[in-house]
Amino acid sequence: PLATVTLPATDPARLDVAPIRALVGPLALTGVAAPARARPGATLPVVVTGRAKDPAAIPALSLTLRSPDTLAASPLGLVPLGDWGPPWALASDVPAPMPAGPAHLTAELGPMAICGWLQSPLTACPLAEVDVSGVPLPGDATNFADLIALLDVEVTPTSLTPGGPVDVVLTWQALAAIPEDYTVFVQVLSAADRIAAQADAWPLQGTFPTSQWRPGDIVRDPYRLTLAPDLPSGPYRLIAGWYLLRTLERLPVLDAAGNPVADRAVVPGLVVQSAFDTP
């Protein structure tokens, strides 16, 4: 080993970069990691690696999603040469534009960028291609795998009777084209996770499979559950989500950064009043 180099702290999982070679202002870019797909209005977790004569210039690097036809030629200037200094890594969340369509992740810093050997200077360098598709995630919705949003849950009644019915209406929205037919699961659970009632089906009593949904479609999906007759009184909750029948794998619930945090939506506040607990 010739030297030991300490990189800036960043998430190691985000450093699976593709090699690039570009000069952007005073920075030499060597690699990029970015998702190939994005939903309009979402943010993309991006990592760019490189070398820099002046590390203070790294935070000024501008990463942007833009249409491929908006890259402009740059006036000719001097190409920076010499010792590029130690390697660095920059992690950033880049907003996706609202219109759907093909886009380039670009890097810009200063008036000139050299994006490859013997290429003419541009004002910014394209680093990766991103397909912006689908529809924006509505506010306060539950995001299932960037495919389906749960917009609303209606439960009637919230005061439950053993052996009685529970009517549930789930309102979904397709965020993107869905290649598979997913199954909805709806369960009423006790505080000890005992299943008090359950229903599993394709949406709309099996008549509207998810592979037929188009991005933006809103589906009101009703279910009637029958509670077990021997339920003790106490607090209960309703859970709902999706799974693929052939694998039994559930769709994950994603947080704002796109990280899986759960595999269900939870509606608390149900109560069972049982005759079995009456003295």
Side-chain angles (χ1 to χ4, degrees):
L2 300 180
T4 300
V5 177
T6 301
L7 292 176
T10 195
D11 183 357
R14 302 174 72 178
L15 286 178
D16 185 16
V17 298
I20 57 174
R21 294 294 181 268
L23 301 179
V24 180
L27 303 179
L29 308 186
T30 59
V32 63
R37 294 180 59 248
R39 195 179 56 253
T43 57
L44 281 75
V46 173
V47 171
V48 176
T49 62
R51 304 179 76 93
K53 296 179 183 178
D54 181 10
I58 297 171
L61 182 68
S62 175
L63 300 175
T64 310
L65 274 183
R66 63 174 76 189
S67 174
D69 57 3
T70 59
L71 292 175
S74 170
L76 291 177
L78 295 176
V79 177
L81 299 174
D83 179 18
W84 282 103
W88 51 268
L90 174 67
S92 179
D93 291 322
V94 179
M98 294 302 294
H104 279 162
L105 173 68
T106 64
E108 181 177 2
L109 179 58
M112 188 184 67
I114 306 295
C115 307
W117 179 249
L118 296 180
Q119 292 188 15
S120 299
L122 298 173
T123 55
C125 278
L127 306 182
E129 295 183 358
V130 179
D131 177 26
V132 181
S133 59
V135 298
L137 179 70
D140 299 326
T142 302
N143 181 0
F144 285 91
D146 272 339
L147 293 175
I148 302 170
L150 177 59
L151 304 184
D152 187 49
V153 181
E154 303 171 33
V155 182
T156 307
T158 57
S159 182
L160 310 179
T161 301
V166 182
D167 290 315
V168 179
V169 179
L170 306 170
T171 302
W172 311 102
Q173 184 174 28
L175 298 177
I178 305 171
E180 302 273 9
D181 290 322
Y182 290 95
T183 299
V184 179
F185 67 88
V186 187
Q187 298 176 355
V188 176
L189 300 179
S190 70
D193 283 339
R194 176 188 175 187
I195 297 177
Q198 179 173 354
D200 293 69
W202 284 359
L204 296 182
Q205 292 78 48
T207 64
F208 197 11
T210 52
S211 63
Q212 297 181 13
W213 294 14
R214 298 169 301 177
D217 280 352
I218 295 178
V219 180
R220 269 180 65 85
D221 189 21
Y223 296 86
R224 169 159 282 197
L225 286 67
T226 301
L227 295 168
D230 57 347
L231 294 182
S233 62
Y236 286 73
R237 67 191 187 281
L238 181 135
I239 67 170
W242 297 87
Y243 65 90
L244 191 60
L245 184 59
R246 60 183 172 83
T247 64
L248 298 181
E249 183 177 358
R250 291 185 178 184
L251 283 181
V253 173
L254 306 182
D255 64 13
N259 301 310
V261 293
D263 61 5
R264 69 190 78 179
V266 181
V267 180
L270 307 183
V271 177
V272 166
Q273 300 291 343
S274 172
F276 291 94
D277 295 312
T278 302

